[in-house]
Amino acid sequence: MFVMKIRRNEVTYNSGIGALDGTQEWQIAVHLLEQMALEVLPGVVSYQTAMSVCGKASVWAKAILLLDSVTKSAQDMPATWTAAISACSSGSQWQAALHLGAQMPKEDFGCCKSYGAVMTACAQQNRWHFVIALFSEMLSLKFPPDCSHFQTAISACRSWEWMLNLLEKSREQSLELGFDTYNIVLMTLRKSGKWDIALASLETIAYPDATHYANVILAMGEASEWRQSLAMMNGHQLDVRTANSATTVSAAADACPSWQLAISLLNLALHDSVQLSIESFNAALNLCQDSWRTALSILVWLSAGISPDHISCGSFLSSCEKAGEWRVALQVFWELPSRSSQCFDILNRVLVGAAHWQLTLQLMSQMLEQRLMPNGMHVASAAQALKMPGMSARLLQDSLGLWKANAPEVFIWNSNLKMTLAEAGCHREVLASRPGILAMSKPPNMTTEAILEELTDRVSSRDPELACFTSVSRLDFPTSGVLIVAHGPPESPAANWLQAQFASRLVKKEYLCLVEGKSLGEVGSQGEIVQPLLTISSNRGSRVEASSLGQEAQTKYEVLQRFPLNGTSMELIFLRVAPLTGRMHQIRVHFSSIGRPLVGDLTYNQFSQANLSPRLFLHCHQMELQDLELKPFAVKQSLPGDLQMVLDNLHKK
């Protein structure tokens, strides 16, 4: 047009900028906008389109700069703010979106879309409290939420009570929400164990589909109300087409308490000419953990009509693992058409349990031939199976070279991370770092997951590309101390290398704790607790018990200080503890099992000297491992002030 001397107007420029939407060419879009200003005054649509291009290219900061440069009249238009907020949402910048949402004009109903954009930005980063706050603000300003606002708010919620409250409000406004929104509500009720409320909610859906019924059936099964779930299959409570769908049959099979009942259900479904899905067979296979022969029969039955998938493979191998049938597992494994990395991992465990290290190494070679990368846990179990320190170390080192050779460079040697951490204000929380590895200071009464979430948010505010961290170990909620974190996704070299070291028991861990009970000997005395631990899960959470049915667990300790309790044979004992295995609540349960529970332990110490310590007296004092260059990486953190004060007070007494 320029060569032919045809005058370019706002429409042609907007078309040019719009052509770049969805691409990474945001620089060209900005250049066209600047060029446009020399020939014709850019309109609101021009800026909105350019902001959209920047947003989809994750250049959210540029979109905000464009918002600042538009005219006053354009800034008064809600659509302009919506475009800038959406750009922040595309760049995972929920704080920036929230900030813009607070600044935008709120004079007419046009800002409802802007509210929706801010809610979406917060929902994408799991900030559901902010989503609810924004929704409530809309109601207080008399802005009517539409279906999209309700769906965003409900999808973001982690509270079933809030979800039901929002559903009720949507009905008051006669809004018909989508099928997916109702599914999210039913799934949340299912996870919360509220099968009866899920059933009541199902009855309020105008046209429920098979997936809705499946969620309620699964909720019943998980709450041990499997008879109720099977009753829903008889056609009295749902129409015949829905009752006889593969989805509901699969859900009912999942709800069954035994494989015998699940197989009966599948036979009945076939008798009613239901075309069973792979999920139905997989649900039955999953119940056969104690009967590999039954699992094999179901697998043969499945193969006659449907091709087994990697879930079928994994369920069958798990049944073989429990029975120690490594020959059957190996033979069937290579006959199945679909094998994932997870299936290789399960077969690897079967072979390791049978002490066949040669087959374990062959399996790793075959994984590589199929372009599947062994992860840290896989390599660790193979290394342990070798039972030869030299060969095990060589296997781990070779695997590290393989992981590094196949990884994006940003998660290996990024020198900007240290600077970014300092800019993000993380210098106090980060005790030490090496390429790909961070040693964090975990405060008490904070979960490991919350630590990573906060770290990710802070780094993301400075450099979103670097904001990716993986948990490779964890500390209990009330425990403080050194926490090792990998920089990069779960498949990164650091994550695999650290997981391999933890699983191979190569990481030296040292804790400080205060226990109460009878003497463990003079200062300097050492001891060891070898007691299997069994994790018992329930709706109220998980609890660990010392049991011969559990996994092996080993803890060493040394007496550092003793504080006799006047007038009794009991004393408080300050210990240095080294767990050689990494079981859940290991230190706490081991010492409780020998009658010396930890001070301040509200779970495993029924008669805790709670007045002595403000919290659980357990601190991860030191971690020692190898970095990605095979150099020693040891990190220490002294006892925090609140626990040190407990010791100081004991000395005074």
Side-chain angles (χ1 to χ4, degrees):
M1 289 179 72
F2 179 77
V3 172
M4 297 175 68
K5 296 182 180 179
I6 300 173
R7 186 174 177 274
R8 295 174 290 194
N9 60 17
E10 185 178 351
V11 174
T12 50
Y13 267 109
N14 288 348
S15 299
I17 297 169
L20 299 165
D21 204 7
T23 73
Q24 295 294 309
E25 305 296 340
W26 64 273
Q27 296 99 330
I28 299 176
V30 173
H31 173 72
L32 283 175
L33 192 65
E34 292 169 349
Q35 182 68 31
M36 178 182 183
L38 300 176
E39 300 181 34
V40 60
L41 183 66
V44 176
V45 175
S46 314
Y47 280 101
Q48 290 172 2
T49 310
M51 282 187 244
S52 176
V53 175
C54 292
K56 289 173 183 174
S58 297
V59 192
W60 57 275
K62 189 66 181 177
I64 294 177
L65 289 174
L66 290 174
L67 176 65
D68 291 337
S69 64
V70 300
T71 61
K72 177 68 172 65
S73 59
Q75 277 202 359
D76 289 339
M77 298 186 67
T80 309
W81 289 87
T82 303
I85 293 166
S86 297
C88 295
S89 178
S90 298
S92 303
Q93 298 298 315
W94 67 273
Q95 291 114 320
L98 203 60
H99 181 67
L100 290 178
Q103 289 183 309
M104 68 184 184
K106 304 177 179 71
E107 296 172 0
D108 57 46
F109 292 164
C111 68
C112 288
K113 284 190 176 180
S114 302
Y115 267 105
V118 183
M119 288 168 64
T120 300
C122 293
Q124 287 172 350
Q125 301 303 313
N126 298 317
R127 307 292 171 173
W128 72 274
H129 288 98
F130 287 104
V131 176
I132 298 300
L134 288 161
F135 188 88
S136 301
E137 185 178 303
M138 284 187 71
L139 295 177
S140 68
L141 294 173
K142 303 288 192 270
F143 292 150
D146 60 18
C147 284
S148 65
H149 295 108
F150 275 103
Q151 287 166 352
T152 301
I154 290 171
S155 301
C157 267
R158 294 183 184 176
S159 161
W160 62 269
E161 293 96 339
W162 267 105
M163 283 186 170
L164 294 181
N165 183 270
L166 290 167
L167 271 180
E168 186 59 36
K169 287 186 181 298
S170 71
R171 292 192 195 101
E172 288 172 5
Q173 297 190 26
S174 302
L175 294 173
E176 188 59 46
L177 304 182
F179 280 3
D180 289 343
T181 306
Y182 284 110
N183 268 329
I184 290 168
V185 174
L186 295 173
M187 285 173 65
T188 304
L189 289 168
R190 169 188 155 196
K191 289 175 183 176
S192 304
K194 304 294 180 182
W195 69 269
D196 50 342
I197 300 175
L199 182 59
S201 299
L202 182 68
E203 293 170 359
T204 66
I205 304 174
Y207 302 102
D209 66 5
T211 314
H212 297 138
Y213 281 104
N215 271 311
V216 177
I217 289 169
L218 286 170
M220 290 172 170
E222 289 165 7
S224 299
E225 295 288 341
W226 57 272
R227 289 182 179 85
Q228 287 266 23
S229 68
L230 293 181
M232 291 191 72
M233 297 294 298
N234 64 15
H236 294 305
Q237 290 169 275
L238 56 157
D239 68 65
V240 175
R241 286 173 301 173
T242 306
N244 289 343
S245 77
T247 306
T248 46
V249 171
S250 171
D254 237 341
C256 287
S258 68
W259 59 264
Q260 294 95 333
L261 201 58
I263 289 176
S264 299
L265 180 64
L266 297 186
N267 279 317
L268 282 171
L270 287 172
H271 183 265
D272 289 342
S273 303
V274 176
Q275 186 66 41
L276 292 177
S277 66
I278 184 75
E279 288 79 15
S280 307
F281 286 100
N282 285 346
L285 272 169
N286 194 45
L287 293 167
C288 297
Q289 298 302 300
D290 295 322
S291 178
W292 68 268
R293 287 185 174 85
T294 306
L296 182 59
S297 300
I298 294 174
L299 205 59
V300 172
W301 183 13
L302 168 62
S303 302
I306 308 171
S307 180
D309 63 7
H310 66 280
I311 298 175
S312 319
C313 176
S315 296
F316 172 72
L317 291 175
S318 293
S319 67
C320 292
E321 179 186 10
K322 201 159 185 179
E325 290 290 338
W326 66 271
R327 291 183 180 86
V328 177
L330 196 62
Q331 181 180 346
V332 173
F333 180 80
W334 293 115
E335 291 177 4
L336 291 173
S338 180
R339 297 178 291 270
S340 65
S341 295
Q342 187 181 12
C343 296
F344 273 95
D345 288 342
I346 299 171
L347 180 58
N348 179 67
R349 291 204 305 266
V350 176
L351 297 175
V352 168
H356 284 288
W357 62 268
Q358 298 97 331
L359 291 174
T360 301
L361 294 180
Q362 288 177 22
L363 191 66
M364 285 187 63
S365 299
Q366 287 158 338
M367 279 189 78
L368 294 172
E369 287 175 11
Q370 296 190 25
R371 299 181 182 276
L372 294 172
M373 185 66 65
N375 61 27
M377 299 298 289
H378 190 123
V379 171
S381 57
Q384 282 184 302
L386 289 173
K387 298 190 184 299
M388 291 176 272
M391 287 184 67
S392 297
R394 178 63 185 274
L395 176 61
L396 288 167
Q397 291 174 19
D398 288 349
S399 300
L400 174 60
L402 194 65
W403 292 323
K404 286 162 70 173
N406 288 274
E409 202 168 310
V410 67
F411 293 120
I412 305 179
W413 306 125
N414 199 290
S415 58
N416 294 330
L417 180 61
K418 199 167 185 178
M419 187 187 304
T420 304
L421 289 169
E423 291 173 352
C426 300
H427 54 285
R428 290 182 182 175
E429 292 89 345
V430 179
L431 300 171
S433 66
R434 293 279 175 86
I437 306 173
L438 293 178
M440 306 290 296
S441 169
K442 180 194 173 297
N445 301 324
M446 191 173 186
T447 64
T448 299
E449 293 75 20
I451 292 278
L452 261 68
E453 192 174 285
E454 185 177 303
L455 177 65
T456 302
D457 284 345
R458 288 195 185 183
V459 173
S460 179
S461 67
R462 297 290 173 177
D463 190 341
E465 189 180 20
L466 296 179
C468 186
F469 301 92
T470 298
S471 174
V472 292
S473 67
R474 66 184 308 280
L475 296 178
D476 294 342
F477 178 75
T479 306
S480 58
V482 181
L483 177 68
I484 302 297
V485 173
H487 178 223
E491 65 276 9
S492 66
N496 277 320
W497 176 236
L498 292 173
Q499 283 174 345
Q501 289 185 80
F502 275 103
S504 300
R505 302 176 187 175
L506 298 175
V507 179
K508 294 179 181 177
K509 297 170 279 188
E510 185 179 291
Y511 289 75
L512 299 174
C513 69
L514 187 68
V515 302
E516 51 186 303
K518 292 184 178 181
S519 173
L520 287 171
E522 299 298 324
V523 171
S525 297
Q526 296 182 356
E528 185 175 11
I529 306 171
V530 180
Q531 176 70 56
L533 298 178
L534 178 67
T535 302
I536 301 170
S537 299
S538 68
N539 291 336
R540 289 178 289 181
S542 297
R543 183 181 171 88
V544 181
E545 294 181 0
S547 168
S548 58
L549 300 174
Q551 295 178 298
E552 62 162 322
Q554 186 178 4
T555 305
K556 290 188 174 183
Y557 63 86
E558 179 185 357
V559 178
L560 298 179
Q561 296 178 41
R562 299 172 64 198
F563 304 95
L565 295 173
N566 293 334
T568 70
S569 61
M570 310 291 278
E571 56 183 68
L572 298 171
I573 313 162
F574 185 48
L575 300 172
R576 177 189 291 119
V577 178
L580 303 185
T581 50
R583 307 301 176 205
M584 180 180 178
H585 299 177
Q586 178 173 318
I587 294 173
R588 299 160 65 184
V589 178
H590 262 177
F591 281 98
S592 178
S593 72
I594 63 168
R596 277 84 171 182
L598 270 66
V599 170
D601 192 340
L602 302 179
T603 305
Y604 301 105
N605 187 358
Q606 189 176 357
F607 305 104
S608 173
Q609 301 281 339
N611 58 325
L612 287 176
S613 178
R615 63 174 174 92
L616 174 70
F617 200 120
L618 181 60
H619 176 73
C620 183
H621 173 57
Q622 180 174 336
M623 286 275 189
E624 187 176 339
L625 43 86
Q626 287 186 331
D627 66 10
L628 273 71
E629 286 295 287
L630 303 179
K631 294 177 181 176
F633 180 52
V635 184
K636 282 187 180 182
Q637 186 185 28
S638 57
L639 209 60
D642 58 346
L643 299 185
Q644 185 61 53
M645 189 178 294
V646 174
L647 288 184
D648 293 344
N649 289 337
L650 289 173
H651 279 293
K652 289 175 185 176
K653 291 178 182 179

